[in-house]
Each structure stands twice: as C-alpha cells, then as structure tokens.
Amino acid sequence: MSSSCHESGQPAAPMTQLPQVALVGAPNAGKTSVFNALTGLNAKTGNYPGVTVSRFAGTCRVGDRRFAVEDLPGSYGLDPVSLDEQVLVDALDGNGMRAPDALLIVVDATTLRRSLGFVAQVLARGLPSCVVLTFTDELLRRQGAVNVDALSQALGVPVVAVVGHRGHGLAELREQLLDWRDWPTPVIPPPVDPGERDAWVESVLSYAGYRAAQPHGHTRRLDAVLLHPILGTVVFFAVMVLFFQTVFTLAAPLQGGVEAFFGVLSGWVSVHVTNPWLSGLLGDALIGGVGGVLVFLPQIMLLFLLISLLEGVGYMSRAAFLMDRVMGRAGLEGRAFVALLSSFACAIPGIMATRTLPSARDRIATMMAAPLMTCAARLPVYVVLIGLLVDPTATFGPFGLQGLVMFGLYLLGAVSAMLAAWAFKKFGDRRGQPTPFYLEMPPYRLPAPRAVLLAVWGAASSFLRKCSTIIVATTMVLWLLLNLPLHSTEQLQAAGVDTADSAAVSAHVVDHSYAAEVGRLVAPVFDPLGFDWRINVGVLSAQSARETFVATLGQVAAAEDPEEPGDALRAMTYSDGPRAGQPIFTAPTIAALLVYFAFALQCVATVGVIRRETGTWRWPLVAFGYLTVTAWLLAYLARTVTAVFVG
C-alpha cells in the first residue's frame, strides 16, 4: 500500500473531521521526529524539556485514508505540575477540546525502564494505543537488547520500532494506523498504585528480554569535564566566545557578497529608472532600507546554524544543567533557563516556554526577563554599530575585538535577565515549595543534517517574511516621511541649495522632512543620550521591529551618499542645535545606542505575546515601562562613562 504525508496544519489546529491520533511521550524521546516524519511538518526538536510547549497538528495520508496527527507536549507523567503538562492531561481527557481517538506512545528504547511508568499511566486510560519504540539502533550500539514482539505481548498493545530521523519502521507504523479501531488492549490494565506499578515494570522488562544500554563511553568522559562546576563553566564561556567569533569571521565575506549584489541593484535602478520618485522608492526604500537589513541574512543563518548544531549534538542540555545553579541564585529553576535560552532566537518562543514552569510567580518573573536576552533581531543593529565603533582588524590577544564586543553584549543581556528575574522574585511572592526539575541528558550524537538545515531555513524564512512584511511597510512609510513635503526648484534655490547636485538636494529634503519634524519633536527625550533626529526616527521606527533601525539608517545614508552609505554614516554630523557640525556616531553615542537596544522592549509582537500569556495588559505595560526606563538610564550612564574614557 502506498502512503504519503503532506503539510496541512498549524499549531493547535487539528482537522476535526478525521480520526485523531495524538503522540505522547517524555521529552527527548523522539516524539517530534516521528511527528515530522508522519506529517511532513517541520516542528522544532531539541534535547531539553520545554521545547514543545504548544500542540502541533498535521495530517497523514495512508492510501486513500487520512488521519489528523497531533504532537502533544512532552511529559514524564500524568500528574501535571506545569501548564504544558496540564495541556497534555486536558487533551487526553477532552477538557475543552476533542479527545484523541487513538494514541501513539513514543518511548526511548535506551530509557525503557524509566519510560514504562508513563506508559502504564497512559494505558490505564483505556484509549486505543500503540507504542512507538525509538532509538532502537542506539540501544543495539550500546550492547542493549529488547524483543519487540515480546514487549508487545507483555504490554497487550502493538509495538513498532522506528528510527524517526532515518525513516526506518515508519511504513509499518502507517500500516498500524489503518487498523487503529482494532488495536488490542491490555487484558488487565496496568496498576495505578506506584508500588505495584514498579513490580509491573520489572515483569514487562523481564518478559521482553530487556537488557539496558551500556553507558555511553564518550558521553561519560566528556561529561566529566563539561558538567564539572568549574571546568564546565570555563568551557561554556569559551564555546560562547568562539560562537560569536565565528559569526563575525565567517559571515563577513558572505555579507560582502550580499552588499555587492544590492549595490548592483541600486546602480541598475539609478540608470534605468528615470522617474525620480520611483527611482527613490526603489533605490532608497527597498534597496537602501530592506536591502540594508537583508545584508545581515548571513549572520542570522550562521547564528542559527551554530545553535542548531549545539542543540543537535546534545550540548544545550549540559548548558541548562550548568546554568541551573545560576538560576537558583535568582530564585528560579532550570526550566526558566530553558525559556531564557529559547529567547536567544526570539523572545516570543521563550515567553511561551514559561508554560513549563509550575509556579505562576516564576512564569511572570521569567516573562519579564526574557526580552532582555539578546534575540536575533538585535543582531543587525549590533553588527552595524559595532562596525562603526570597532576597527575590523582590531584584536585582543588571539580574538577579534568585534566578536568580543558582540559576546559582551550577549553576556550583558543574559546577566541583566538574571538580575531582572531576581528582582521580580524578590519583590514578588516567594512562597511555595520548589518542584523537581527533570533534565534529559542525552548521549552526544551527530546532529541530523535535515533537522539542522530545517532549523536554519526556518530562521532564514522567518527573517525574510519579516523583511517582506513589517520592514517593507515601515520602510515605505519612512521613505514618504523622509521625502515629504515636496520642495520646488525655487524653494531649493531660495534655501541656497545647488539644484544640480542631487546629493545636496536629497540632504536638504531629508533635513526638512516630516520625519525630521518627528525626530526633533522627541529630541528633548533623547538629546542627553547624544541622539540626533535621524537616530530618534530610527529608534521610534524600531518599536515595530528592531531591524527597521538599520533600514532607517540605510535610507538616510543612501540619500546623503548613495555610492558609499557606510561612509555617509561615519561622516554624518548634527544639522542643528549646540552640536551642529559635530560627528554623530562618536564612541559615547554608539555606546549609548548599543546599551539602549540591549534593554529597550522594541517588539510589538513580544508585547502581544505577554498579553496573551498573562491574560491582562498589566504585565506587558510593566515590561514596556521598566525596560524603556532602564534602557534610557543605562544608555545615559554608558555615554557618560565612555565620554570620560575617550575624552
């Protein structure tokens, strides 16, 4: 029988007219890999609990029949202590939603003894169930063994061995789906008493001829170093330094290629588009604005490539273990680190990952801290500003100084997030008993190339979608604000502008535009930080998305010097006020900008997610208020201190 799967779903949107099959299992059991293989969807996988915090649904076709397949949050049991575990229990009970018709219980063969307790709890509910046994190849490599047929007899339900990322056993699993109504059920349900359940587990293992996998030799030796309280922390910081050195070093030539491509496009527009307004719209708004953001696509892709490799190899769970001690000093637990770690990519999944926290106070404290973690949207801003501040050839010992500054900014975000979490816990309600934190320590594995490529493509496509929607719309509005009102030739000549000099005309129009009026209107707020009206406009536009700050500077620079916009930024001077004629992008101003962007909450989507997760506008307003005030105060401090050191 032929079978095929296709994408057909979104998070929490099952197709209610089809038989509904739910995947359940412990974190890191391979559940999401099986889900992806069955449905063709690209749900994210990771080596620590708290990655899958939403319900994901897709469809699978087997012959002429279709099934709705749902990936539920991972859990070690059915006694919920957190929101995501409660989602699992509610889904099985059908509370407020349609209950699944059948279950695929995904079990890691290398941890079968521990997993059977969860299997017993699920089977006791009486739903048609099939056990999907994963990592059987690894069990054999580590001198373990299990008789799949005997295990099926002992459990009283079908058991299918699969290797999800390689597709082994998936055809048999799809065939099993066809007969889900006829799946056998245990003659005697597994016991619910914990003591009796332990005896039941031992009897099942004995009947199935289970031999536990031997400890992974390489994993044991590596963990002796990587999990050491001192050596492991040193290695962690060394990995992070090399991480950012790599982002700067390897991405530079790729970025140069992208810049050259957009330079060619800009030249083509100036030559072939004769209408000045259309030429400006295409050349300045799209190429100077959006193109100026797309230049940083190589850094974004490289950042997510390295993150995916660290996750795939199993190192991220070790980092979470090490940071659990640090989180404890902030009054939080390791699950909070998982949420904050997710915020390195984007604060939104990090905030959603707080559902794994059992304490409401911990969830609020982590949500308030998550926007401080340096997300990918800050990367283009940091790259531009660091490029203006630090010479690309400057080094500190064997390391490039630009990469070290970038690492320092990421470290600043992480430390600030810890302090913010501590503050919200300190002044909040610290009552309540701590709950156990279970963290999976998988053996070190070579990452699956497909999973890594999908993660990189997902990040790149998300960045491109943002460039084609939010940033395009923002840059179009900015271009209009920067070019209106219209100035006649007579007005330009009366102002002393050489109308034959297009650069002089553009500079005059920009300096007397609606955008300039807006920037000068808020000048009293940002003057102490050294910002001029052009930076003010960029900071205001960044409230929709941080990357638009780069787009704003790209448009202004392209208008003032279309041939060398980078040089235009370095040469940019204050056009009025007491600093008129002085350079704008001095070291104190750049330091203030870097610190401001490190702390300010400049993401409408993040505010919306906090509102959705808390169910009130109180906490998003608190987050926006305290982060904006903190950003201004620390930016002022950074400018003052830098001015003292550089004179």
Side-chain angles (χ1 to χ4, degrees):
M1 171 139 347
S2 63
S3 64
S4 64
C5 299
H6 61 281
E7 182 175 328
S8 171
Q10 296 295 332
M15 302 186 69
T16 57
Q17 301 302 315
L18 302 175
Q20 187 164 319
V21 180
L23 277 77
V24 298
N28 202 42
K31 179 170 54 67
T32 303
S33 295
V34 173
F35 171 78
N36 287 340
L38 286 175
T39 65
L41 290 173
N42 299 322
K44 186 180 184 295
T45 59
N47 283 321
Y48 41 84
V51 173
T52 306
V53 294
S54 297
R55 302 168 65 193
F56 285 85
T59 60
C60 179
R61 184 187 299 275
V62 185
D64 59 353
R65 295 175 61 184
R66 298 170 65 213
F67 299 85
V69 183
E70 187 171 22
D71 181 16
L72 296 176
S75 177
Y76 294 104
L78 298 183
D79 301 313
V81 295
S82 63
L83 288 180
D84 66 319
E85 293 176 348
Q86 187 64 53
V87 168
L88 170 62
V89 175
D90 288 344
L92 295 180
D93 291 339
N95 291 338
M97 62 196 79
R98 177 186 171 188
D101 298 306
L103 300 176
L104 295 179
I105 310 173
V106 182
V107 175
D108 183 351
T110 64
T111 60
L112 185 58
R113 183 182 302 277
R114 185 196 66 197
S115 303
L116 282 179
F118 175 76
V119 173
Q121 286 184 292
V122 176
L123 292 180
R125 291 178 170 260
L127 288 170
S129 301
C130 173
V131 171
V132 181
L133 198 62
T134 60
F135 297 113
T136 51
D137 55 337
E138 185 172 316
L139 178 69
L140 294 175
R141 282 198 306 270
R142 293 165 57 186
Q143 290 79 53
V146 64
N147 186 319
V148 176
D149 292 335
L151 179 62
S152 177
Q153 294 175 15
L155 294 175
V157 298
V159 177
V160 179
V162 304
V163 181
H165 65 281
R166 295 180 181 174
H168 297 171
L170 290 172
E172 182 182 352
L173 180 58
R174 293 189 183 104
E175 294 291 332
Q176 284 285 353
L177 288 177
L178 293 174
D179 301 322
W180 69 271
R181 295 181 187 275
D182 299 322
W183 284 348
T185 57
V187 176
I188 301 176
V192 294
D193 178 78
E196 295 178 358
R197 188 186 301 148
D198 291 341
W200 176 85
V201 168
E202 291 301 325
S203 66
V204 170
L205 292 174
S206 175
Y207 190 85
Y210 182 70
R211 185 171 67 247
Q214 296 300 308
H216 199 280
H218 295 305
T219 297
R220 186 175 62 251
R221 288 189 291 271
L222 285 172
D223 280 348
V225 176
L226 298 182
L227 296 181
H228 190 276
I230 298 176
L231 292 178
T233 304
V234 171
V235 171
F236 173 75
F237 281 102
V239 168
M240 292 298 102
V241 170
L242 291 174
F243 184 100
F244 295 109
Q245 290 291 317
T246 303
V247 168
F248 260 97
T249 304
L250 294 186
L254 297 174
Q255 184 179 2
V258 178
E259 286 178 338
F261 172 74
F262 282 106
V264 171
L265 285 182
S266 180
W268 186 92
V269 168
S270 62
V271 170
H272 292 87
V273 181
T274 56
N275 184 288
W277 267 75
L278 182 59
S279 177
L281 182 66
L282 295 176
D284 295 340
L286 288 178
I287 297 176
V290 178
V293 177
L294 285 175
V295 161
F296 301 100
L297 183 60
Q299 274 96 347
I300 299 291
M301 295 181 68
L302 189 57
L303 176 73
F304 280 89
L305 172 63
L306 294 174
I307 290 175
S308 298
L309 290 174
L310 290 176
E311 284 184 353
V313 81
Y315 182 71
M316 284 303 194
S317 59
R318 274 75 183 177
F321 175 81
L322 288 171
M323 292 300 105
D324 182 45
R325 300 185 183 92
V326 178
M327 300 303 298
R329 294 185 178 274
L332 300 176
E333 54 166 90
R335 292 181 185 89
F337 174 74
V338 172
L340 295 178
L341 189 68
S342 301
S343 300
F344 269 125
C346 176
I348 292 173
I351 292 169
M352 293 174 64
T354 60
R355 299 175 192 173
T356 63
L357 300 174
S359 165
R361 285 292 179 182
D362 281 3
R363 288 198 294 274
I364 293 297
T366 308
M367 285 184 200
M368 296 299 100
L372 288 166
M373 301 297 285
T374 304
C375 65
R378 288 182 171 98
L379 185 60
V381 179
Y382 285 171
V383 170
V384 167
L385 295 178
I386 291 173
L388 293 171
L389 180 66
V390 181
D391 189 303
T393 62
T395 60
F396 184 82
F399 302 110
L401 194 55
Q402 287 188 338
L404 289 178
V405 173
M406 179 72 80
F407 170 70
L409 288 168
Y410 271 75
L411 185 61
L412 173 65
V415 172
S416 301
M418 297 297 103
L419 292 174
W422 173 84
F424 277 95
K425 285 285 292 183
K426 179 73 173 178
F427 298 105
D429 184 3
R430 301 194 61 167
R431 292 173 297 178
Q433 296 297 320
T435 56
F437 171 46
Y438 298 100
L439 182 64
E440 192 77 21
M441 288 292 177
Y444 294 101
R445 303 183 178 108
L446 289 176
R450 182 176 181 272
V452 172
L453 292 176
L454 285 175
V456 175
W457 170 245
S461 60
S462 176
F463 183 67
L464 291 172
R465 282 195 301 272
K466 185 184 286 187
C467 286
S468 64
T469 53
I470 298 174
I471 295 177
V472 164
T474 305
T475 53
M476 291 296 185
V477 172
L478 282 172
W479 185 83
L480 291 173
L481 292 175
L482 286 166
N483 287 274
L484 293 175
L486 297 175
H487 296 265
S488 66
T489 303
E490 291 76 13
Q491 289 174 320
L492 292 172
Q493 290 174 343
V497 179
D498 181 3
T499 55
D501 186 346
S502 60
V505 171
S506 295
H508 179 82
V509 170
V510 167
D511 199 48
H512 295 79
S513 63
Y514 292 140
E517 292 182 13
V518 173
R520 292 184 175 106
L521 182 65
V522 298
V525 176
F526 294 108
D527 274 348
L529 307 183
F531 301 173
D532 90 322
W533 71 262
R534 286 159 288 196
I535 296 178
N536 295 344
V537 172
V539 169
L540 292 177
S541 69
Q543 292 302 137
S544 61
R546 292 182 178 91
E547 299 94 331
T548 56
F549 177 78
V550 177
T552 304
L553 294 185
Q555 288 194 55
V556 172
E560 297 193 1
D561 188 351
E563 299 298 325
E564 294 292 341
D567 292 343
L569 289 178
R570 294 183 179 88
M572 199 175 288
T573 59
Y574 294 98
S575 58
D576 49 31
R579 301 191 186 100
Q582 298 177 13
I584 294 175
F585 288 101
T586 60
T589 300
I590 296 173
L593 268 172
L594 285 170
V595 171
Y596 188 87
F597 273 89
F599 287 91
L601 178 52
Q602 297 164 296
C603 181
V604 174
T606 299
V607 173
V609 168
I610 296 176
R611 163 68 178 83
R612 187 183 69 192
E613 293 296 312
T614 60
T616 175
W617 278 108
R618 174 192 175 190
W619 291 111
L621 292 175
V622 168
F624 181 82
Y626 101 85
L627 288 172
T628 301
V629 172
T630 302
W632 193 97
L633 292 174
L634 293 183
Y636 180 78
L637 178 63
R639 175 178 174 78
T640 304
V641 172
T642 306
V644 171
F645 280 99
V646 300

